[in-house]
Amino acid sequence: MTSRVLMEQEWLLAFFSTPEFGLLSVGLLLVVLVVAVIALQMSRRQTLLQHELKQRVATLWQEMDELRVQQFNESEIPSGNSGSPLPAEQFLLEKAALEKVWPLVWGLHDKLGSFLRAVESNEPTGDTRVSARNAALEARKTVNGLRPFLNAEVDDLLTRLIDTEIKAHLAACQYMDMQQGGLSVAGDDESSRHASRQKFRLLHEGDAKDLLNHLVEVMRRRMVRS
């Protein structure tokens, strides 16, 4: 038994001292080194990926914060017709003013139209005449009271629109006086009546309607964001 163990030890010593063992040892060492290098590279790559991921997440959060701020500013500061932003409080005041004024100017245009149609068809005009006059007075009074909260262009359009409707109302009243013979007119009466009728038609259906449409466009640009 002892001799067998000695033989095995001698064989192992002989094997370790052979060139083949040296080559095998070098091969194993190279394998270990290659595995270690690969593991190190993978570890470094994983570390770089984690660092890059953290940077991307941080950048994403920063971009999201900036986007939230931008969306907040856009929701609180709508654009006006000049392209410059309106402060939120000013926007709300102007919006409230326009919500009060718009029904009045539209009601004035509608009531005056009823009065003018009655005038042209020789129908009784008592109620429609007074209604149109009161609508003009109410619209003008309201615009004057809300003028500090109105944009300059909107204010100008409202003033011109109301003045034009009032001129149409006065021209229609003049035409009625001519029809009733209560106004002395030099020259051809029929020609004067025709001119007076054309005047209130053009004022109401032409100038006033154009101003009304322009007013709508300006209000939409100021109140609605694109």
Side-chain angles (χ1 to χ4, degrees), residues 148-198:
F149 310 109
L150 297 173
N151 168 261
E153 184 178 8
V154 173
D155 182 20
D156 178 66
L157 288 171
L158 286 169
T159 301
R160 289 164 57 194
L161 173 60
I162 294 172
D163 288 346
T164 301
E165 299 284 29
I166 291 175
K167 291 177 183 178
H169 186 277
L170 294 175
C173 292
Q174 184 181 23
Y175 174 79
M176 288 175 58
D177 292 338
M178 290 179 180
Q179 287 287 84
Q180 296 169 3
L183 181 64
S184 176
V185 180
D188 187 358
D189 291 346
E190 182 62 30
S191 176
S192 298
R193 287 195 295 271
H194 177 74
S196 183
R197 182 171 63 250
Q198 288 297 108

Side-chain angles (χ1 to χ4, degrees), residues 125-139:
T125 59
D127 292 340
T128 57
R129 179 176 182 175
V130 174
S131 178
R133 179 179 180 277
N134 291 339
L137 294 175
E138 184 180 3

Side-chain angles (χ1 to χ4, degrees), residues 48-109:
L48 290 175
L49 288 176
Q50 290 179 354
H51 180 67
E52 184 179 355
L53 180 60
K54 289 181 180 179
Q55 286 185 331
R56 289 182 178 180
V57 170
T59 303
L60 179 60
W61 279 113
Q62 182 179 358
E63 292 176 352
M64 290 180 66
D65 290 339
E66 292 175 355
L67 181 60
R68 291 192 188 101
V69 172
Q70 181 181 358
Q71 290 176 343
F72 175 81
N73 291 335
E74 290 178 351
S75 64
E76 292 293 328
I77 308 178
S79 297
N81 66 320
S82 62
S84 59
L86 290 175
E89 185 176 357
Q90 179 182 340
F91 170 78
L92 294 176
L93 289 173
E94 184 176 342
K95 183 174 182 292
L98 292 177
E99 288 176 348
K100 292 180 180 179
V101 169
W102 171 251
L104 297 180
V105 295
W106 175 253
L108 167 60
H109 187 76

